[in-house]
Amino acid sequence: MHTTNIRSITDDTENPSQPDEKPGWPRWAVHALAWLRQSANTARRFVETDPAGAASLLGAAAGAVLTVVLAVGLFAAVLQWAVSGHALHDIQRALPAVRIVTDAIGHWMTTHTAGLPLSTQTASWIWGLTGTALFLAASYRHLGAQLLWPLYGAATAALAWMGTDTPSHRPVVVGLIAAAWSVLSLLALRGRPHQRVTRRLDEHNPCQAR
């Protein structure tokens, strides 16, 4: 009789997470309650054992949640601003030099999309989104995008050149495009990580690596 009581106590100690039967409760609710109790006990023991680590973990989790919330909110605001149709107007008002380029490209597209089942605004969005996709892919060192990025810049400069009616203004427009394209190319056409280059040098010069 005494042995049975010891065995019963041992079994309860080894299986503390076993859910208690609740009359009228569905099985998933019973298991969920048991999991919550076990998680609360684990968290309480962790706080009692390492208070500094628990505070650091809580701060990191709160910072991560706040960062995600801010990033999602910022992305939603930017997306709404871009879809509203006022994005280009706001950029042109803040940076008048941008209008020199956008007006030239828009004039070319207006002339060459006449009679096509495609509006000038749609063609401009397709051209801009294509450049954005190429820039992002090239920034992540996608080889195909890095090869297409110079062609996209040259094509954009050609469109602006042909879309500028005044011949004396054409070098200015193309120069602005070349300046902007050169700055963006610092990210789009960057090389491979330096670690790979160092590893190759070490493989060719094993004595120097030692």
Side-chain angles (χ1 to χ4, degrees), residues 21 67 163 171 189:
E21 294 296 335
T67 301
L189 300 180

Side-chain angles (χ1 to χ4, degrees), residues 77-102:
V78 172
L79 183 61
Q80 183 180 3
W81 174 63
V83 175
S84 64
H86 303 293
L88 183 59
H89 175 71
D90 294 340
I91 293 175
Q92 290 176 349
R93 185 176 58 182
L95 300 173
V98 175
R99 187 172 182 178
I100 300 175
V101 176
T102 56

Side-chain angles (χ1 to χ4, degrees), residues 2-159:
H2 181 68
T3 306
T4 304
N5 293 334
I6 295 176
R7 183 176 302 173
S8 177
I9 295 174
T10 305
D11 294 340
D12 293 340
T13 306
E14 291 178 354
N15 300 313
S17 61
Q18 185 176 1
D20 298 332
E21 294 296 335
K22 302 289 184 181
W25 283 39
R27 182 172 296 274
W28 66 266
V30 175
H31 285 282
L33 180 61
W35 179 81
L36 289 175
R37 288 178 177 176
Q38 184 179 3
S39 300
N41 292 332
T42 303
R44 179 176 55 82
R45 288 194 298 268
F46 176 63
V47 172
E48 293 176 352
T49 304
D50 187 8
S56 177
L57 181 62
L58 181 61
V65 172
L66 181 61
T67 301
V68 171
V69 171
L70 291 177
V72 172
L74 180 61
F75 177 77
V78 172
L79 183 61
Q80 183 180 3
W81 174 63
V83 175
S84 64
H86 303 293
L88 183 59
H89 175 71
D90 294 340
I91 293 175
Q92 290 176 349
R93 185 176 58 182
L95 300 173
V98 175
R99 187 172 182 178
I100 300 175
V101 176
T102 56
D103 287 351
I105 297 177
H107 180 263
W108 185 90
M109 289 188 175
T110 301
T111 304
H112 290 80
T113 56
L116 295 176
L118 183 69
S119 64
T120 303
Q121 185 177 5
T122 302
S124 300
W125 272 105
I126 293 175
W127 188 261
L129 292 176
T130 301
T132 303
L134 286 177
F135 173 74
L136 293 177
S139 299
Y140 282 95
R141 300 183 179 90
H142 189 279
L143 182 58
Q146 289 183 337
L147 294 176
L148 291 174
W149 177 250
L151 299 178
Y152 178 85
T156 303
L159 294 183

Side-chain angles (χ1 to χ4, degrees), residues 127-193:
W127 188 261
L129 292 176
T130 301
T132 303
L134 286 177
F135 173 74
L136 293 177
S139 299
Y140 282 95
R141 300 183 179 90
H142 189 279
L143 182 58
Q146 289 183 337
L147 294 176
L148 291 174
W149 177 250
L151 299 178
Y152 178 85
T156 303
L159 294 183
W161 179 277
M162 292 182 292
T164 304
D165 294 333
T166 305
S168 60
H169 294 170
R170 291 175 178 174
V172 178
V173 176
V174 175
L176 291 174
I177 293 177
W181 181 83
S182 299
V183 174
L184 294 176
S185 297
L186 295 177
L187 292 176
L189 300 180
R190 57 181 177 170
R192 298 295 175 178

